[in-house]
Amino acid sequence: MKNLLHYIKSRISLTSDEIRLIEKHFVSINVPSNTSLLKAGSVERYVYFLSEGIVKGYQNIDGKLVVQHLVSEQNFFTSLDSFMSETASSDYYETITDCKLIKISKPDFELLQEDTTFWSDFVKNVTNEHLSGKVERVKDFQVLTAKERYLKFLKQSPKLALNVSVENIASFLGMEPQSLSRIRKQITF
């Protein structure tokens, strides 16, 4: 819970009553590696904060797994469309490593949204951060070469680069594993 509170306090101010509300509505869980958190066709019921570990989000597109999210520590994640609209998700979420997660259910999320002002401000802040990241990712696919995308990934996410399989990184960066292996050989010192 300490990591979650630190993350929130780095974006907005919290009173002691607001801290107690967060502690009341979030639940901490430990999840082993290679555990499914969400399967396509299911409705997402939680927003997660990844306190420790690595999670991947992907879709199965015509039999090919396409990694769209590599979630590192100190980040929120969910299948947002499914969570907000309470419809079946097209996403899968799975732990890559052992993880410490803190989750909030849809009813508790809505309760904080309706009964407080701090939660709406915080959600807007995090949503804008994530949206900016997605816009940057799309731009990277448009203007950067595969090698440039990988070098940027290494610089921004060294822990992910060390702990995620070549296949998952390649999929996340929009290339085949063989292409990523060639790129890695080119930049090896």
Side-chain angles (χ1 to χ4, degrees):
M1 197 64 68
K2 186 176 101 178
N3 288 340
L4 172 63
L5 291 171
H6 176 72
Y7 182 92
I8 295 172
K9 287 179 188 178
S10 72
R11 285 151 179 82
I12 62 168
S13 297
L14 290 174
T15 66
S16 54
D17 287 340
E18 291 167 341
I19 290 170
R20 280 191 288 281
L21 273 174
I22 290 167
E23 291 172 339
K24 176 182 175 186
H25 293 291
F26 277 86
V27 176
S28 297
I29 57 171
N30 293 326
V31 182
S33 63
N34 303 312
T35 300
S36 175
L37 299 171
L38 177 70
K39 292 182 179 178
S42 300
V43 176
E44 178 63 88
R45 302 285 183 203
Y46 298 97
V47 171
Y48 297 92
F49 179 77
L50 181 58
S51 187
E52 292 180 23
I54 300 171
V55 171
K56 71 177 175 180
Y58 61 95
Q59 291 186 356
N60 185 334
I61 300 174
D62 298 326
K64 182 177 181 180
L65 301 185
V66 178
V67 177
Q68 297 168 324
H69 308 281
L70 288 175
V71 185
S72 58
E73 295 175 346
Q74 313 307 307
N75 278 298
F76 279 93
F77 69 94
T78 190
S79 179
L80 189 59
D81 290 342
S82 177
F83 181 79
M84 298 306 288
S85 64
E86 297 184 14
T87 57
S89 174
S90 56
D91 300 318
Y92 294 82
Y93 277 91
E94 181 180 297
T95 60
I96 291 178
T97 63
D98 292 346
C99 292
K100 290 185 179 181
L101 301 169
I102 305 168
K103 65 182 183 176
I104 185 169
S105 68
K106 174 90 172 169
D108 285 340
F109 184 95
E110 289 177 343
L111 186 92
L112 287 178
Q113 193 87 347
E114 293 165 8
D115 294 348
T116 70
T117 55
F118 82 89
W119 188 248
S120 294
D121 292 342
F122 174 69
V123 168
K124 186 189 317 179
N125 184 300
V126 171
T127 301
N128 286 337
E129 284 178 25
H130 281 257
L131 183 57
S132 293
K134 291 212 179 275
V135 169
E136 182 179 348
R137 188 162 146 74
V138 169
K139 183 180 166 193
D140 287 350
F141 273 97
Q142 293 172 331
V143 300
L144 298 179
T145 66
K147 183 176 181 178
E148 291 169 333
R149 288 195 307 274
Y150 180 63
L151 289 170
K152 183 174 182 177
F153 175 77
L154 285 177
K155 183 177 180 182
Q156 291 182 335
S157 306
K159 186 171 182 181
L160 290 178
L162 291 172
N163 294 292
V164 176
S165 71
V166 169
E167 292 77 17
N168 284 328
I169 293 171
S171 179
F172 180 71
L173 295 175
M175 61 183 87
E176 294 299 320
Q178 303 86 333
S179 299
L180 179 55
S181 291
R182 277 193 301 277
I183 290 168
R184 289 171 68 162
K185 285 178 186 169
Q186 290 172 5
I187 63 173
T188 302
F189 307 49

